[in-house]
Amino acid sequence: MIGELARFGSVGVICVAVNYALFNLLHFGYGMGALTANSLAMVASTTLGFLASRYWTFRHAQNSGLAREYTLFFVMNGIGYVITQTVLYLAAQMSLEGKLWSNIALTIGIGLATIFRYFGYKRWVFVKPTAGQAEPDAAQGTLVQR
């Protein structure tokens, strides 16, 4: 589990960096609204996150079909998106705007959403193989019966 958390954290750091970079470029560089900028940034970082999660972080998990995993992954991220957007909205309602406050609100929203996503991915998206099912053996690159 420690290795899985480390991989999840690594993917998360990269995706957050992509999200921040795109959010700031679109919001402050191109003048888009904060919610629109975050929406576009999230689509890009979520796509990257899905690929990294499926093929690296949770590679030991049962593959239950790309379409199923992709759909559930985006549902989990959709809920995470609502969490992040809610924090950004509340910050704006409290007149906490500008570069510093927008990024603080984004950080809080991403943090809360990340906690939700990790447990959602483990519970519903990238499930562990059940007893008797084959799972990938990373060292051998083959399937091993458990």
Side-chain angles (χ1 to χ4, degrees):
M1 182 168 171
I2 291 174
E4 181 181 272
L5 280 170
R7 289 187 302 273
F8 180 79
S10 298
V11 169
V13 166
I14 292 166
C15 290
V16 166
V18 167
N19 195 66
Y20 275 100
L22 288 174
F23 171 78
N24 282 286
L25 175 69
L26 296 172
H27 184 50
F28 297 108
Y30 290 102
M32 281 187 189
L35 299 180
T36 302
N38 186 54
S39 296
L40 294 174
M42 187 195 154
V43 169
S45 63
T46 299
T47 300
L48 174 62
F50 173 75
L51 295 171
S53 292
R54 185 172 203 268
Y55 295 108
W56 188 51
T57 302
F58 298 104
R59 69 181 179 270
H60 61 281
Q62 170 183 335
N63 286 328
S64 57
L66 184 62
R68 179 197 165 279
E69 290 173 355
Y70 190 76
T71 300
L72 288 174
F73 189 87
F74 274 84
V75 167
M76 295 299 116
N77 277 278
I79 295 168
Y81 168 77
V82 170
I83 293 168
T84 303
Q85 293 290 76
T86 300
V87 174
L88 284 169
Y89 175 79
L90 292 173
Q93 292 304 304
M94 295 186 301
S95 298
L96 300 173
E97 295 174 329
K99 198 175 270 192
L100 175 64
W101 285 110
S102 291
N103 280 286
I104 288 172
L106 185 61
T107 300
I108 292 168
I110 288 172
L112 293 172
T114 297
I115 293 166
F116 168 78
R117 282 192 303 264
Y118 177 74
F119 291 107
Y121 295 167
K122 282 190 69 71
R123 173 76 172 103
W124 294 294
V125 182
F126 303 110
V127 296
K128 286 192 172 204
T130 58
Q133 287 186 316
E135 71 177 71
D137 182 347
Q140 300 295 321
T142 60
L143 294 178
V144 176
Q145 195 71 22
R146 299 283 179 202

